[in-house]
Amino acid sequence: MKGLPSCKSGQCVGVRHSTLPSPAVLRAAGAFWHARRLTGIGLTCLLLASTALPGHAFEIFGWKFFESGEAETEAVPDPTPYEATLSVSGTSDEPQKDLEAASLLVQQQNQPPSGEAGLIARALSDRERLIAQLYADGRYGGTVDISLAGIPLETALERSDLPDGRPVKVAILVSPGPAFTFGKIAIETRGNDLSSDPAFWGLTSGDLAASGKVLAAERQIVNVLRGRGYPKARIAERRITADHATNRLDVTLVADTGPQARFGQVSVSGTDVTDPGFVIQQAMLPQGGIYSPEDLARARKRLNELGIFSSIRLVEGDIAGPDGSLPILIEVSERKRHVIGAGASWSSTEGFGVEAYWRRRNLFGRGELLSVEGSVGRIGNENLENLEYSTRIAFEKPGVFGPLTSFSTSLAARQENPDAYKSRSITYDAFLNREFSEQLKGRAGAEIYYANEEDAFGTGDYLLVGLPAGLTFDNRDDKLNPSKGVFAALFAEPAYDALNSNAMGFVKGTVSSYYALDEAKRFILAGRVSAGSIVAPSVESVPASRRFIAGGGGSIRGYAYRNVGPRLNGEVVGGRSLLELSGEVRVKVTDTIGIVGFVDAGNAYEDSIPDFSESLKVGVGAGLRYFTPIGPLRVDAAIPLDPEQDDPDFALYVGLSQAF
């Protein structure tokens, strides 16, 4: 039979039982070797790729709610308590730990099964898991013996009952046997040439014959063939021979490519409001082009980024026709169209901030998004009249000139009240956005900005008409908690102040980079540089809210919010150029806790070109991170090394995601 192992020296694996694992168990575990009853011997050859996955109680940010001190378990009828011990003969502590982690009997002692039959079923499943763990360690001659209340598992299975004593004493004895190494290895292909060098696929003669290496090689072979346009590629034959006399494992893998395919007709199911033609357009699958898993992955990513689907599946049909046409069905499930959200932030220098939004997704059935947003800031630091307010209504339409373009427009009103100035403004903008690649995006548009402002220069009105444009490059591995990659953003806007007849131009760029010092990504270096310039007749001719002023979270931590820059009579007025530098060392202490040390430096300058004779303002500090599924919860404390008027002795910041 194809795929069955052969065994030398009269033994394939010394598992003492005569009952085969259930087909459901085999499917769930991803069997590497098929199971087969060996007449008269009662041995089963089974190689599984599975690990123990401990359960987790419900919790939010580490605090558990609505439970007692002990883990809650689902009520089962006729629970049968037991006590399990696992013993390993003649090995170090490491196999013991791996086997205990894989054992359901050990890991689920606080979750009694239903009745004696449930305990016997758990023991049968456990034996298969332990065998799989032995194979994962390259041990193919081991034995696993399980007894329940002193009765061997096979006998308990035949009797279907156990003595009355509770809890039931469960003894697991594992003899791992010798570790096997790879012997002869052969890679063969039907239909397309692949490298026949086993080392290319991670299999080397003489290395530990761990089952995971063979499974990984199979996946890699199939993935390479699929990447060459063969969607039905598979491992047609798997010939495994375990020689117990030499403790060597011979492996032969035969891959069948199947026919090469081209993308055929694309159809959509599951839409209610969404136009199916829009889904096909945004997927951008190249009909008639050679099949590529990367094209499918990009299509799924583009559809997911629309934000209107809760699930997306791309189902491959059967290859048909002389050209190998492969139909693709896009199965989607639409998300709820109405969304309400809220958020909050706090720092010791800026007080509390709250924000809320309402969104209507898929407004006209082609991915449109209507948003209404509002926020209030500096709560606790100012009276009601001097709080910071903002409100904004925005509309976005994807696919306006093809799948890689979108249109966005917004109308916003805002009151800002940092120590340096008070600004009341209204802004209308419209942008055409373009995706040049997965990493590079750009936009260009028009903006009208009106502001009434009070600062050290007095009170003034401004009406700016501008043509803003920007580019962003982002290849970070994680937007909220990056460990490698680069983020870069460049913004430029020529503008004209119609009320004061002044022309001006704004330019600002930011680059941040991340580097992990170890493979586990527990030690990460992060750095950021920001610089900007405003070309204008004078500082006073630029609206205070558009001038460069440093300080606060996202700038130079430790200093007051927007309180670093040129001053007039002791009051910050801002400047026409900016330089900011930040460096962090991020250490992940546990899977959920991290610590950070950081240095921020920067300044704003009166002229359009920074005057480097003026010293940089420096802030130093440390922070704590609690890692959650939606990003790290951040708490930072910073001290300004050169504080000036209105700067605190130290500052605290709380937020979600890393500082940059």
Side-chain angles (χ1 to χ4, degrees), residues 129 131 199 216 226 231 282 292 320 340 355 414-415 447 514 519 540 551 583 589 593 596 630:
R129 294 172 64 88
I131 296 168
R226 285 174 57 84
Q282 294 302 117
S292 169
I340 297 176
E355 61 182 46
R414 186 176 188 183
Q415 173 173 292
E447 177 186 57
Y514 312 87
E519 293 184 3
E540 186 177 359
V589 180
I593 300 296
V596 172
I630 57 174

Side-chain angles (χ1 to χ4, degrees), residues 471-474 476 486-492 507-514 527-533 548 554-555 578-582 659-660:
L471 281 174
T472 60
F473 175 85
D474 189 355
R476 294 173 295 176
V486 173
F487 173 82
L490 177 64
F491 168 82
V507 178
K508 185 178 181 182
T510 298
V511 178
S512 56
S513 182
Y514 312 87
R528 179 181 62 180
V529 177
S530 295
S533 178
F548 290 125
S555 176
L578 173 77
L579 178 64
E580 293 176 335
L581 309 170
S582 294
F660 59 88

Side-chain angles (χ1 to χ4, degrees), residues 1 4 13 15-26 33-39 41-46 48 120-121 123-125 127-128 131 153-154 157:
M1 285 180 65
L4 291 176
V13 60
V15 182
R16 298 168 183 165
H17 65 88
S18 57
T19 302
L20 290 176
S22 68
V25 172
L26 292 177
W33 282 353
H34 298 284
R36 173 187 177 189
R37 183 187 295 274
L38 302 180
T39 304
I41 301 177
L43 299 179
T44 298
C45 294
L46 177 67
L48 308 176
I120 293 173
L124 287 170
S125 176
R127 181 166 54 189
E128 291 160 353
I131 296 168
L153 180 56
E154 292 78 7
L157 184 61

